[in-house]
Amino acid sequence: MDPQWDLLPPPFRKLEPEAALLRFSLEMVESLAELVPAMKFQVAFYERFGSSGFRALEQAVRRARALQILVIIDCKRGDIGSTAQEYAHAYLDEEGPLACDAVTLNPYLGRDSLEPFLAFFPRGKGAFALVRTSNPSAPDLQDLDVSGHPLFETVGEKVKEWGSPFVGENGYSSLGAVVGATYPQEAERLRQVLPETFFLLPGYGAQGASEADIALAFDRKGEGVLVNSSRAILFAYRDPVYVDLPPQRYLEASQTAYKQATNRIRHAIDERMKNR
Amino acid sequence: MDPQWDLLPPPFRKLEPEAALLRFSLEMVESLAELVPAMKFQVAFYERFGSSGFRALEQAVRRARALQILVIIDCKRGDIGSTAQEYAHAYLDEEGPLACDAVTLNPYLGRDSLEPFLAFFPRGKGAFALVRTSNPSAPDLQDLDVSGHPLFETVGEKVKEWGSPFVGENGYSSLGAVVGATYPQEAERLRQVLPETFFLLPGYGAQGASEADIALAFDRKGEGVLVNSSRAILFAYRDPVYVDLPPQRYLEASQTAYKQATNRIRHAIDERMKNR
């Protein structure tokens, strides 16, 4: 859920921001509820409109959870312990205004910035720490050489260590890693270093990563990854591939794009498993 | 402005969160307006209450700016370019819901995550990138050895490089650095590496840094630092030092704490300048 204002179907852009964000978000949530296991809400697209954007986000998140969709809020927060406590309350406490299932976190401040979130893990919550991001400037800091290895590998190892007390029955920790699919070699390398860490994998679709790139990040069982596709699903109505669907059928375009992407990814994973 | 709920003067805690945050923030803004050059609002203490907290923040920020206080919003945001764009609009665009003068940013995603903010610098806006934070776990990543130097030094050098096109008449760039006063040796070292970068210096007061620690971060002219003190000013009414002021005179306690802190810091800077 990256409801970028200028990509919304035209009728929405005639509404007030809060109404537009809310209606578009609710329509997408309801339209995709039967298909998707989880939805990642990018808070920035709501925060852009301040308190009124947050009001829309609160309602959309509540609706998604009522429909049994796992909700990840992509906020990339990271702050000193006493402040991180406030963010953790907002997003992971069931009493908080944006109660969801998992958040994304920035690890630059170190372990104590994650601790208030870890405290909610025994209650079924989770988080994904940024390890290797999907953007072009990711190498600026993340590829710096730390004793012969790029920084992101060390960060990955720390995420594994911090998450080790929270490994569940299925073998994954409630502390996962954000690994950009746009850097397939790095993702493959991280999978070797972190064989049992759950990855949240952005970069598929609009950002350019292919199904074959994505397949490299899956673990030995062909699992352990939540692939994220935002704009390519949400704004499929703009894609010439779906030109047979008129723009007012944007929900169908999104459903179709979701199903096709899933089929392509499944096929790529099967191929990779065969070649192992 | 870190309006931590359980530290608010008791009468406020009987109100609804939005009313409490708004009233307390407005009272503090108005009471300190004649004294302070700038105010840093920590967004987490408002975000904790979701959209209603944001509504209080919006109003408090507007009031502070109307009173000619420079407003820094401490949001530590950091995201990929297209998303960072949304945050930059929210905080640095005068049309944005939380229009202010400067924000804090997390540099882990690299240069393109800062660019949408840099685009507002020619319009009088600024930002402080996290270089060395004030929390106990700061060394986890920030002290990792990058070619013989701690990571934070390399980050500091990058911040200097990214900010170099935005150096103004007074010799400082609009891109400053967050440097924790709780690590005085590291702050002194960063001042050597970054002789002309403006520092936002948290950690004074409640977090434990002394005036002598702080003085190490000032530049050759005894300038170039914005010292941040949050809880020690805001909640001075709880400090036994101000026991002569009854709790209902919390605003006076904060004014007194501010003036005394400023005098002590000035004295420490003078001492350091003398010994140079």
Side-chain angles (χ1 to χ4, degrees):
Chain A
M1 288 299 297
D2 287 24
Q4 193 178 323
W5 184 259
D6 53 351
L7 300 180
L8 293 179
F12 290 94
R13 278 178 275 153
K14 290 178 192 150
L15 302 172
E16 286 296 303
E18 183 178 345
L21 284 183
L22 180 60
R23 278 201 217 171
F24 181 76
S25 302
L26 290 180
E27 283 190 13
M28 277 293 162
V29 163
E30 283 161 17
S31 169
L32 297 170
E34 297 288 309
L35 299 171
V36 304
M39 272 192 156
K40 177 172 86 63
F41 288 78
Q42 171 50 263
V43 69
F45 291 97
Y46 300 88
E47 190 165 330
R48 177 207 158 102
F49 298 104
S51 56
S52 67
F54 263 88
R55 216 158 28 224
L57 177 61
E58 286 162 358
Q59 293 175 68
V61 165
R62 269 200 294 270
R63 184 78 188 119
R65 297 188 79 207
L67 293 171
Q68 315 298 327
I69 303 170
L70 282 170
V71 170
I72 300 161
I73 297 190
D74 189 1
C75 55
K76 298 187 178 65
R77 302 303 190 241
D79 215 306
I80 66 169
S82 57
T83 306
Q85 181 75 48
E86 306 291 310
Y87 284 128
H89 171 83
Y91 295 101
L92 294 190
D93 192 332
E94 281 300 329
E95 305 292 310
L98 289 148
C100 66
D101 299 292
V103 289
T104 56
L105 299 174
N106 186 311
Y108 189 68
L109 282 86
R111 193 185 193 284
D112 63 10
S113 69
L114 273 65
E115 263 164 21
F117 297 90
L118 304 181
F120 285 98
F121 286 5
R123 294 188 234 168
K125 305 296 185 177
F128 295 92
L130 302 181
V131 171
R132 180 55 139 119
T133 57
S134 61
N135 58 314
S137 294
D140 282 351
L141 266 65
Q142 297 165 27
D143 280 4
L144 289 174
D145 188 307
V146 177
S147 318
H149 297 275
L151 173 62
F152 71 80
E153 264 190 52
T154 304
V155 174
E157 280 160 4
K158 285 187 186 288
V159 166
K160 181 181 172 182
E161 178 197 325
W162 297 335
S164 61
F166 306 102
V167 174
E169 285 170 30
N170 53 19
Y172 302 112
S173 169
S174 302
L175 183 64
V178 174
V179 178
T182 45
Y183 294 97
Q185 282 184 320
E186 286 78 359
E188 189 175 18
R189 172 83 191 120
L190 275 169
R191 180 47 80 198
Q192 286 162 3
V193 179
L194 308 172
E196 293 171 333
T197 297
F198 211 89
F199 288 0
L200 174 63
L201 207 74
Y204 176 60
Q207 287 185 59
S210 72
E211 293 82 14
D213 294 339
I214 283 178
L216 300 171
F218 280 79
D219 63 19
R220 258 168 257 174
K221 295 175 287 179
E223 299 176 357
V225 177
L226 196 54
V227 177
N228 179 67
S229 176
S230 302
R231 282 168 283 172
I233 306 282
L234 217 51
F235 305 117
Y237 83 98
R238 299 168 65 98
D239 188 330
V241 170
Y242 305 108
V243 73
D244 291 343
L245 286 170
Q248 62 273 27
R249 291 170 65 186
Y250 52 88
L251 292 173
E252 273 171 79
S254 294
Q255 288 174 332
T256 304
Y258 177 83
K259 288 176 201 163
Q260 293 186 346
T262 309
N263 290 340
R264 282 195 294 264
I265 293 169
R266 285 221 178 93
H267 179 72
I269 299 169
D270 288 345
E271 287 298 303
R272 180 155 163 81
M273 296 298 283
K274 260 188 257 163
N275 299 331
R276 264 186 173 166
Chain B
M1 286 299 297
D2 286 26
Q4 193 178 321
W5 184 259
D6 53 352
L7 300 180
L8 293 179
F12 289 94
R13 276 178 278 153
K14 291 177 191 150
L15 303 172
E16 286 296 303
E18 182 178 346
L21 284 183
L22 180 59
R23 279 201 216 170
F24 181 75
S25 301
L26 289 180
E27 283 191 13
M28 276 294 162
V29 163
E30 283 162 17
S31 168
L32 297 170
E34 297 287 309
L35 299 171
V36 304
M39 270 190 158
K40 177 172 86 61
F41 288 77
Q42 171 50 261
V43 69
F45 292 97
Y46 299 88
E47 190 165 329
R48 178 205 158 102
F49 297 104
S51 56
S52 67
F54 263 88
R55 213 156 34 219
L57 177 61
E58 287 162 358
Q59 294 177 67
V61 164
R62 270 200 293 273
R63 184 78 188 119
R65 298 188 79 209
L67 293 171
Q68 314 296 325
I69 303 172
L70 283 168
V71 170
I72 300 161
I73 297 189
D74 190 0
C75 54
K76 299 187 177 66
R77 301 302 190 241
D79 216 305
I80 67 168
S82 58
T83 305
Q85 182 76 47
E86 305 292 310
Y87 284 129
H89 170 83
Y91 295 102
L92 294 190
D93 191 332
E94 281 300 327
E95 305 293 311
L98 289 147
C100 66
D101 300 291
V103 289
T104 56
L105 299 174
N106 187 312
Y108 188 68
L109 282 87
R111 192 183 193 287
D112 63 11
S113 69
L114 274 65
E115 261 164 21
F117 297 90
L118 303 180
F120 285 99
F121 286 6
R123 294 188 235 169
K125 304 296 184 178
F128 296 92
L130 302 182
V131 172
R132 181 57 142 109
T133 56
S134 62
N135 58 316
S137 294
D140 282 352
L141 266 65
Q142 299 165 28
D143 281 6
L144 289 173
D145 188 307
V146 177
S147 317
H149 297 274
L151 172 61
F152 71 81
E153 264 189 53
T154 304
V155 175
E157 280 159 4
K158 284 188 187 286
V159 167
K160 181 181 171 179
E161 178 197 324
W162 296 335
S164 62
F166 306 102
V167 174
E169 286 171 28
N170 54 17
Y172 301 112
S173 169
S174 301
L175 183 64
V178 175
V179 177
T182 45
Y183 293 98
Q185 282 185 321
E186 285 78 358
E188 188 175 20
R189 172 82 192 124
L190 276 170
R191 180 48 80 197
Q192 286 163 3
V193 179
L194 309 171
E196 292 170 336
T197 296
F198 212 89
F199 287 1
L200 174 62
L201 207 74
Y204 176 60
Q207 285 186 59
S210 71
E211 293 81 15
D213 294 337
I214 283 177
L216 299 172
F218 281 80
D219 64 18
R220 259 168 254 175
K221 295 176 289 182
E223 298 176 356
V225 177
L226 196 55
V227 178
N228 179 66
S229 176
S230 302
R231 283 169 283 172
I233 306 280
L234 216 52
F235 305 117
Y237 84 98
R238 298 169 64 97
D239 187 331
V241 170
Y242 305 109
V243 72
D244 292 344
L245 287 170
Q248 63 271 29
R249 291 170 67 187
Y250 52 87
L251 293 172
E252 272 171 80
S254 292
Q255 288 175 330
T256 304
Y258 177 83
K259 287 176 199 165
Q260 292 185 347
T262 308
N263 289 340
R264 282 195 294 265
I265 293 168
R266 286 221 177 92
H267 179 72
I269 299 169
D270 288 346
E271 288 297 302
R272 178 154 164 85
M273 296 299 282
K274 258 189 259 166
N275 299 331
R276 261 185 177 165

